[in-house]
Amino acid sequence: MSEPAPGPNGSPRPSSRESLAGAGWLCRRPGSYKQLLTKRNLPFSWLNPVPLLQSRNDLLARERWFGQDPTNERRRDWLGDPPHEPDLVIDHSDSDEISFIVMGDTGEGDASQYAVVPALLNAGAGTAFLVICSDVVYPAGGINDYLEKFFRPYQAYPAPIYALPGNHDWYDDLTGLMFHFCGVESAPARERASAFSRAWLRDLLWRKPQRAKPKALAEMRRLRSAPGKQPPQPGPYFAIDAGALRLVAIDTGITNSLDRDQGEWLRRVSADRRPKVLLTGKPIYVDGEHHAGDIEGSGSVDEIVTDRQNNYIAAIGGDIHNYQRYPVTLPDGRMLQYLVSGGGGAFMHSTHQIPRVSLEGVTEEEFRCYPLRGDSLSIYSKLYDKKLRLGRGGLYIPPDQAAAIMAERLGIESSRDSAKLVEASHAARLAAEKILPRRSRAHGPFHLPFSEFFDWNDPPLFKNFLRIDVSPNRVRLRCFAATGCGEHEQNPPIEDAFYAELQDGGEWRWATETRGEPD
Ligand SMILES: [Fe+2]
């Protein structure tokens, strides 16, 4: 099957919602990212015990085993004395119109991360900055790991890059992120827990941060050395005044909790009347569930986001490595867009395990995801077949058949015309029952380890990033795909596009773009 031509005037190529080629199933040539890879960019493997051991702070932070998660206390230590600029605001408001990139969960340092780069540089042309939303560097945010997992891949991005931490960045006590983004070169002293307490045992086992290697540091500084390319950010949580919009970036630590001080700061910077978008490590709506996000002491992040006075129009989270959009209608009639955008480079979390969406204010009809659930089931069937050597080809479900199976199971219509015409074979149905048994929990306890196990580095890669264009009366969001196919790098497919417009009464109204709408 040949790939449909791009639209007129260089408009984007068809997306995965329109054609198999748009999803990257019919790759004509490998992407130029292969030339960016060096001998050091070996495939990252979660089967290797070393990254799992380096990620052990995740278990140590769990309250049920070792007492209180120390992250909130530690974050307070990092902030130290009251900062010079208490609202921690970065100013990009010199123009009313501005564009920027948001992408999440980037840093594996292998082909799946580098494959995003050419599409990012092309679709991100003219953007004023980029924000990495969670998990900058795997497995544990180490200072020296930034060379191959941050500085080398993004050396050609010409504008500043900021970052908010995910749980993996905290596995190194946040040392790498504070060093590279905030310019803090020495970690604050840690208070000693009383001997033989649970906290003492936890601190004993806690992963100790990497020490900076001077040679690696010199190379990192050289790679993004242009003035303004790597400016200091005021802390692990911060705000950016981006034209007419305020971005509020929070640090949800390891266990999705904000410390009391950060909660107060969030309430303060949210009270500003400008329209706002929240950026968060842990998403508020994800995998068909709602997680309000605790604030130490009292309240939740979502209470602040949904408060009409605070004028939030959207919230974007990382942590889960795919794209999801929940346009939630609040009881007062306003719509807030809740996004997951964690497909920035690391392994892919499946979307076929997301159950039919049925939540207060949003249903399956409004929900969007990338990859489509059928494509997710198909690529997983291929990986099950190959990696587990179970089916010898018998477990593989072709993408349109997988789409037909998912549509039938969820009671929805396939997005892709070619899938609407397909009837799933008996063999495909049997394979689907083995991979995703109908009676199992939609998001079982082995979901995460299994997603990590199924890491791959060849197209279609189903990565994504967001481009956001802001003017005083309009905010436009587009989810671009990075498939890894050479033909998609110049003009990457757009998987989702929607915008908010300011109405006469001061409310923002959201609409979804349809293909062919003018730029
Ligand atoms: Fe992640």
Side-chain angles (χ1 to χ4, degrees), residues 322-343:
N322 52 45
Y323 172 78
Q324 302 175 35
R325 172 157 76 98
Y326 301 81
V328 175
T329 303
L330 301 176
D332 63 12
R334 286 176 302 137
M335 180 181 279
L336 253 69
Q337 298 282 353
Y338 288 90
L339 273 64
V340 178
S341 182

Side-chain angles (χ1 to χ4, degrees), residues 425-443:
S425 69
H426 181 64
R429 286 175 191 281
L430 273 181
E433 199 52 44
K434 284 180 189 155
I435 293 164
L436 185 66
R438 236 181 284 229
R439 281 198 212 134
S440 79
R441 295 170 57 193
H443 201 131

Side-chain angles (χ1 to χ4, degrees), residues 105 134-135 138 167-168 319 321:
D105 303 82
S134 156
D135 292 348
Y138 292 95
N167 49 322
H168 284 269
D319 190 48
H321 303 179

Side-chain angles (χ1 to χ4, degrees), residues 406-480:
M406 291 311 302
E408 191 180 293
R409 284 194 181 192
L410 294 166
I412 57 175
E413 191 175 53
S414 298
S415 317
R416 209 158 47 215
D417 283 345
S418 57
K420 288 176 191 158
L421 306 171
V422 161
E423 184 83 15
S425 69
H426 181 64
R429 286 175 191 281
L430 273 181
E433 199 52 44
K434 284 180 189 155
I435 293 164
L436 185 66
R438 236 181 284 229
R439 281 198 212 134
S440 79
R441 295 170 57 193
H443 201 131
F446 297 112
H447 173 68
L448 270 178
F450 268 69
S451 291
E452 284 155 3
F453 177 59
F454 291 117
D455 193 5
W456 73 99
N457 285 292
D458 294 301
L461 285 160
F462 300 112
K463 298 291 170 267
N464 84 279
F465 57 90
L466 303 176
R467 178 182 171 124
I468 303 177
D469 302 289
V470 179
S471 64
N473 300 320
R474 197 168 194 261
V475 179
R476 183 191 197 196
L477 290 94
R478 280 174 291 172
C479 170
F480 284 92

